[in-house]
Amino acid sequence: MGIIAAKFGGSSLADAAQFKKVKGILLANPDRRYAVPSAPGKRFKDDTKVTDLLYQCYRKVEKGEDMQEVFSVIEQRYREIVFELGLDIDIDGLLDQTCADIRRVATPDFAASRGEYLNGVILSAYLGWDFIDPRGYIKFDRQGVFAEEWTNELLGEELKKHEHAVIPGFYGAVPNGEVRTFSRGGSDITGAVVARAAGASLYENWTDVSGFLMADPRIVDNPREIRYITYAELRELSYMGATVLHEESIFPVHKAGIPTNIRNTNDPSHPGTMITDRRQDSGGIITGIAGHKNFSLISIEKAMLNSEKGFCRRVLSVLEDFDISIEHMPTGIDTVSVVVADSEIVNRKSEIIHRIRELCQPDHIDITGGIALIATVGMGMVRSPGTAARLFGGLQRAGVNVRMIDQGSSELNIIVGVDTQDFEKAVRAIYEAFNEPA
Ligand code: ASP
């Protein structure tokens, strides 16, 4: 078929039993040639991820305190994995070296990176695959910004030399060799970067769920699974709070036209969710629903606004001066509303109103908090008349008052703003409107 790059999340490599599943998965398909491991994650609900323990170690070193007590919890986890897998590697030597290195280098990124590093060393020994230290190939510039094209060249050249390899996730290095990590959850990005550099035909992201669901299962009972989704749809949904993949991991593979398959290490026969450039099936009208709370609506009215040039620009310039980023901006003939996150305007409301009054002389302006936004996303909307009627019909039947509507011109989504206390009810109503029993 082509090369597959497979990334395994922390819970997929949390203990020896999980390592065994991962080996089974990798060996089941000879196309799986490159594996990207995370650090050991949680084995049970209240467990602590190794990455979090490593950050704790760093904080101890920073304060000049002894980190041994925390580090010994990490040691225990790796020793157990190596022992239960029956591996012949000098884990004590590796752990002593790691402990000394964390004390010596004393940066949070270096400390955190050791979780993936050690898991990578163990996984490569367990599989008998080559080990590639990302320090030499995943590159950040001097400012710490990921150097995507440079990385792609370096890593692409290196991967050609290895039939099979393990490349730890989450970290790389700046030009002087100092270790840098991506933001939390960043092994997803490494996986995507490896897939692109390898010229893979598929990026598999193995985690502990069988892909995406149409809605948050804490709100909707047993929501349907999403079999296919496009990168554009996923971006809309994850922006609104649906999180399975690190947001930035979409770009390298999307750019290279490589599909991503979300799979479940604990249920490997499940096909999971396939993320592609184009829609793969005729599917339903909508793909998913996501949303979150804590937004405010700045509503501005002014007679004859439609003929006044530069009005919107002036409103936005005020927000820019306050360093506020905006979410949406639905407009009417004589009204403009701007949706912003509550956190952006907290304690500054009267100043903002004052400044907009000064610069734009509106007839009326107010700021209403307590708004929740819900995005209903789906490529299928473009060719389906009546989508909006269905959505608003559902909301009406549930007695939800809609405070704001915004439909992107791509017809990929419809966003509605509702009162926070109606959020869950509205999500359920929209879900039901599109999943009514036939
Ligand atoms: N281990 C890192 C974290 O916990 C990176 C990852 O798992 O993707 O954030």
Side-chain angles (χ1 to χ4, degrees), residues 7 10 38-39 49 51 116 170 183-188:
K7 177 258 169 179
S38 287
K49 292 177 168 191
T51 309
E116 271 69 12
F170 193 37
S183 56
R184 293 301 304 266
S187 298
D188 282 345

